[in-house]
Amino acid sequence: MTRYDAVEAGSYRVAREIALEGLSSWRDAVAPYLTPGRVVLDLGAGTGLFVRAFGAWFPDVSVVAVEPSSDMRAASGVPMLAGDACSVPLAAESVDVVWMSTVIHHVRDLPAAGAELRRVLRPGGVVLVRSLFRERHSGIGLFRFFPEAERALSGFPSVAEVADGLGFGVELLSPVPQVTASSLADRASTVRQEADTLLRSLTAAEFAAGLRRLRAAAEVESGPVVDHLDLLVLRTVGAV
């Protein structure tokens, strides 16, 4: 999984954190799986956005956060364990749900990760993946201003590659809206090239040109910025 340094971790929290009210559709989407008493593994927890969200939304659910980057863990301000998708520091059959938010494209050995997920999941457990997939990117408004970023999509897996690579069956695939920013002006003020895999693919000139387009649009457009990421629900093949 990709490692981040202290500067990148700080930028990530500025650029990628979303207000909880903007994530309300995600609360509704995962609520059927995060029922009282369940233990959730937030794998690749980053700066802890969903650790805090799940704690606020589902107080009767226990969340264990695992993150490979020591700088991300330090920037999060919440308790986290060191580990990654191929080495989860938890006992066998210890969690009911594995949550992976905008992290699956960083996992380079999907079969090894799948074996580790099956090890830590209890019978009947589920994997919830929040992600952009290579063939499903039309809901991301960033491409409007940074069209060259589409070349980075080659580094994102398809839905089939994730399911087959992990060795799980697809139970559900659904786009979920989120209010990424209150306005384009707000989005422009927080965008950071080093904090986004898509934007990292740009040259300095391409990023600067995209930022100018974004700022110009912010001068004439109002209203919230709404993007769509997918919720992919996976279960062990043959599980009911």
Side-chain angles (χ1 to χ4, degrees):
M1 295 174 70
T2 300
R3 307 281 173 162
Y4 293 86
D5 62 23
V7 173
E8 291 167 334
S11 294
Y12 190 97
R13 185 152 190 185
V14 170
R16 301 291 297 276
E17 296 265 315
I18 300 173
L20 292 191
E21 55 267 27
L23 294 169
S24 60
S25 292
W26 280 100
R27 177 195 60 212
D28 298 339
V30 303
Y33 307 98
L34 273 64
T35 53
R38 289 199 158 183
V39 178
V40 179
L41 166 60
D42 186 348
L43 183 54
T47 53
L49 172 61
F50 279 96
V51 178
R52 292 185 290 274
F54 291 160
W57 297 337
F58 309 110
D60 296 322
V61 166
S62 298
V63 180
V64 180
V66 171
E67 167 57 42
S69 167
S70 59
D71 291 306
M72 284 286 200
R73 296 195 300 272
S76 74
V78 297
M80 290 189 181
L81 300 175
D84 60 37
C86 297
S87 181
V88 178
L90 298 178
E93 298 188 3
S94 58
V95 304
D96 302 290
V97 178
V98 176
W99 169 255
M100 302 179 73
S101 175
T102 60
V103 71
I104 197 66
H105 60 288
H106 293 306
V107 179
R108 299 308 174 201
D109 191 340
L110 288 172
E116 188 69 340
L117 298 186
R118 284 188 290 277
R119 182 185 70 81
V120 299
L121 277 170
R122 292 170 179 156
V126 63
V127 179
L128 307 179
V129 180
R130 173 180 176 262
S131 188
L132 164 68
F133 296 99
R134 185 170 62 244
E135 76 279 29
R136 294 170 61 89
H137 62 275
S138 61
I140 304 299
L142 200 67
F143 293 119
R144 173 186 168 195
F145 307 104
F146 302 94
E148 300 90 350
E150 287 196 16
R151 64 172 173 257
L153 290 170
S154 62
F156 284 73
S158 67
V159 172
E161 286 168 349
V162 171
D164 294 344
L166 292 176
F168 283 72
V170 175
E171 178 175 288
L172 176 72
L173 175 65
S174 178
V176 179
Q178 63 187 40
V179 179
T180 303
S182 61
S183 65
L184 285 177
D186 180 41
R187 185 74 177 97
S189 71
T190 60
V191 67
R192 300 288 189 278
Q193 185 174 13
E194 67 274 15
D196 191 294
T197 301
L198 295 170
L199 297 182
R200 284 185 181 203
S201 70
L202 303 179
T203 66
E206 289 170 341
F207 178 74
L211 191 55
R212 286 194 296 272
R213 288 189 288 267
L214 175 56
R215 287 171 173 165
E219 292 289 331
V220 296
E221 297 181 27
S222 60
V225 177
V226 179
D227 291 306
H228 292 74
L229 289 176
D230 279 318
L231 172 63
L232 174 63
V233 180
L234 302 172
R235 288 190 188 271
T236 303
V237 176
V240 178

